[in-house]
């Protein structure tokens, strides 16, 4: 039975996204997990992976088009099916879909928005023939964006580039008119900018009488108004929602990390993959979640969902904001696998090459600002996750050992917790389990 592929909610609370480019063609056989398209969101460009296997029968969404979450973008035929299965239409339908039909109208014919598994027959059973006929009479064919062309009057080329490409080009002073696009129809995509070894000179300023485009900073006497990017808008919306709807509370602890830092030096002397202090922190956090499973949960409106494995989100700073890719099954990973996985996710996050699934899920986050010289801070929860650990820098501090004043390397950590899910006693138990692992680091390795 044909399956309609829909635009997923690539990032939490996203309402729309842009198909930057298709990585497959019609008639191509695909497997579960194959990359179908590069999707541009408010935060990054991610790869959309196939969730079903079969033959890609139709590409409904045009590259560069903004698609609402849940709208159809492609149709996949199951193994053994043919175009005959796709084109079949109940007799009651006055306008059966054909391979040459308009993609938007074809999508309406084959997709049932209320069904989790859209099929050709569902739409006709939901809608009467007179209603469909009236709708078809009132529906005009949507205007399609033409490929790049040259105007005979002005001899100027119409420029096609995605919003993210225009933003990056502005930041790097790249003149897009000098860039050759390799995307569909000659569209300029991000990989075209990545191929440039040297940024192009900035474009000539527009005349004073011409209003500045929305992406241009407005400079006045004593200040500059920098327009909001899609990522900054998403961060503002999500964090405002978190702080106004989630009851945060905080638990802070100081960890002595001298033994941990010595163990790290020993591990790095023998290991092929170098591990960081943050890799130990992730393993300690995962171990504490296993020991205190009540903390490995999320708020689910009508229930509290408790997880059997530990998936941790790691905050990664990128240009203009941050992303939180998720490590799956950290409790079962070795320290070296954690190190290599985090390095890979962080690199691809900065390059805008994360996949959709890598930004979803997780019950807990870790945010480390210690490398910036921050001694301690409190982080804001990332709903629906119920905990986030803010990690400060490790530095020598005075401590009391057996009644004597001494010096030790101390790292301050702060747990932000959702009080709807985690009570104070549970948070304290989790923090004690975490500190115990950090101060006795061999427990992290076994």
């Amino acid at each position: 039975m044909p399956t309609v592929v829909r635009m997923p909610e690539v990032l939490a609370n996203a309402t729309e996204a842009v198909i930057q480019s298709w990585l497959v063609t019609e008639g191509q056989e695909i497997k579960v997990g194959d990359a179908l398209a590069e999707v541009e969101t408010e935060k990054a460009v991610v790869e959309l992976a196939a969730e079903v296997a079969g033959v890609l029968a139709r590409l409904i969404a045009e590259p560069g088009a903004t698609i609402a979450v849940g709208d159809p973008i492609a149709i996949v035929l199951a193994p053994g099916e043919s175009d005959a299965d796709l084109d079949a239409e109940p007799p009651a339908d006055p306008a059966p879909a054909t391979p040459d039909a308009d993609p938007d109208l074809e999508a309406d014919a084959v997709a049932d928005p209320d069904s989790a598994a859209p099929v050709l027959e569902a739409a006709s059973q939901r809608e009467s023939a007179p209603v469909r006929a009236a709708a078809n009479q009132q529906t005009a064919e949507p205007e399609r964006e033409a490929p790049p062309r040259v105007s005979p009057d002005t001899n100027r080329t119409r420029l096609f580039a995605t919003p993210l490409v225009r933003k990056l080009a502005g930041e790097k002073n790249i003149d897009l008119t000098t860039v050759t696009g390799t995307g569909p129809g000659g569209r300029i995509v991000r990989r075209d900018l990545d191929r440039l070894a040297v940024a192009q000179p900035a474009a000539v300023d527009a005349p004073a009488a011409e209003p500045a485009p929305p992406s241009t900073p407005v400079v006045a006497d004593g200040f500059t108004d920098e327009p909001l990017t899609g990522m900054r808008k998403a961060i503002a919306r999500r964090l405002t929602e978190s702080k106004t709807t989630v009851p945060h509370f905080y638990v802070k602890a100081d960890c002595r990390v001298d033994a941990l830092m010595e163990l790290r030096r020993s591990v790095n002397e023998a290991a092929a993959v170098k591990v960081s202090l943050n890799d130990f922190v992730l393993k300690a956090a995962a171990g504490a979640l296993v020991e205190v499973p009540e903390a490995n949960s999320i708020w689910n409106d009508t229930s509290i969902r408790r997880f059997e494995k530990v998936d941790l989100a790691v905050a990664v700073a990128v240009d203009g904001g941050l992303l939180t890719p998720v490590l799956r099954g950290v409790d079962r990973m070795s320290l070296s696998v954690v190190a290599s996985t985090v390095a890979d996710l962080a690199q691809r996050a900065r390059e805008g090459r994360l996949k959709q699934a890598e930004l979803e899920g997780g019950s807990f986050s870790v945010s480390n600002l210690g490398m910036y010289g921050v001694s301690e801070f409190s982080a804001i929860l990332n709903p629906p996750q119920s905990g986030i650990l803010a990690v400060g820098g490790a530095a020598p501090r005075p401590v009391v050992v057996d009644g004597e004043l001494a010096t030790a390397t101390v790292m301050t950590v702060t747990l932000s917790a959702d009080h709807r899910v985690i009570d104070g006693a549970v948070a304290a138990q989790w923090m004690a389990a975490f500190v115990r692992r950090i101060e006795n680091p061999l427990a992290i390795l076994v």
Side-chain angles (χ1 to χ4, degrees), residues 161-429:
T162 66
L164 181 63
V165 165
R166 294 179 185 273
K167 172 180 177 293
L168 294 175
E171 294 173 349
K172 299 179 180 179
N173 292 328
I174 297 175
D175 183 0
L176 289 179
T177 61
T178 66
V179 180
T180 301
T182 60
R187 182 179 300 277
I188 302 173
V189 294
R190 180 164 182 164
R191 60 175 173 266
D192 299 322
L193 300 188
D194 293 338
R195 292 192 183 100
L196 295 180
V198 181
Q200 300 297 320
V204 179
D205 292 338
E210 186 174 319
S215 60
T216 303
V218 178
V219 181
D221 186 16
F223 65 90
T224 299
D225 284 341
E226 188 75 29
L228 296 175
T229 64
M231 179 183 291
R232 183 52 53 189
K233 290 178 181 178
I235 292 173
R237 182 181 68 249
R238 291 281 292 160
L239 296 187
T240 299
E241 174 192 353
S242 178
K243 285 294 285 185
T244 55
T245 64
V246 178
H248 289 58
F249 76 98
Y250 309 92
V251 176
K252 184 172 69 173
D254 293 331
C255 310
R256 300 180 190 179
V257 295
D258 296 278
L260 177 59
M261 296 180 73
E262 182 60 34
L263 177 61
R264 180 196 169 208
R265 280 191 291 268
S266 299
V267 169
N268 282 338
E269 287 176 359
V273 178
K274 303 302 180 184
V275 298
S276 68
L277 190 64
N278 198 57
D279 298 327
F280 280 96
V281 168
L282 290 169
K283 281 294 294 179
L289 287 170
V290 172
E291 182 176 334
V292 187
E294 296 87 351
N296 191 25
S297 309
I298 64 171
W299 180 256
N300 204 28
D301 288 333
T302 59
S303 65
I304 293 177
R305 179 170 297 169
R306 305 198 186 279
F307 296 98
E308 296 177 356
K309 65 176 184 175
V310 178
D311 296 339
L312 295 180
V314 182
V316 177
V318 298
D319 289 341
L322 63 90
L323 294 174
T324 52
V326 179
L327 278 73
R328 312 289 176 181
V330 184
D331 52 318
R332 300 183 180 95
M333 287 183 178
S334 67
L335 190 62
S336 60
V337 171
V338 169
S340 58
T341 304
V342 170
D344 174 63
L345 289 174
Q347 179 67 24
R348 290 191 290 112
R350 297 184 182 103
E351 295 174 352
R353 296 190 297 109
L354 288 174
K355 297 179 180 179
Q356 171 198 346
E358 293 169 331
L359 293 167
E360 297 176 339
S363 62
F364 197 95
S365 292
V366 173
S367 179
N368 192 337
L369 294 180
M371 67 287 294
Y372 298 104
V374 174
S375 58
E376 64 177 87
F377 69 104
S378 299
I380 300 175
L381 285 165
N382 182 24
Q385 296 177 5
S386 58
I388 181 170
L389 186 69
V391 183
R397 298 186 204 171
V399 297
V400 176
V401 180
D402 297 329
E404 299 288 337
L405 188 62
T407 301
T409 305
V410 178
M411 177 180 72
T412 299
V413 294
T414 305
L415 170 66
S416 304
D418 182 348
H419 215 322
R420 298 173 301 178
V421 181
I422 301 176
D423 293 327
V426 173
Q429 292 168 17

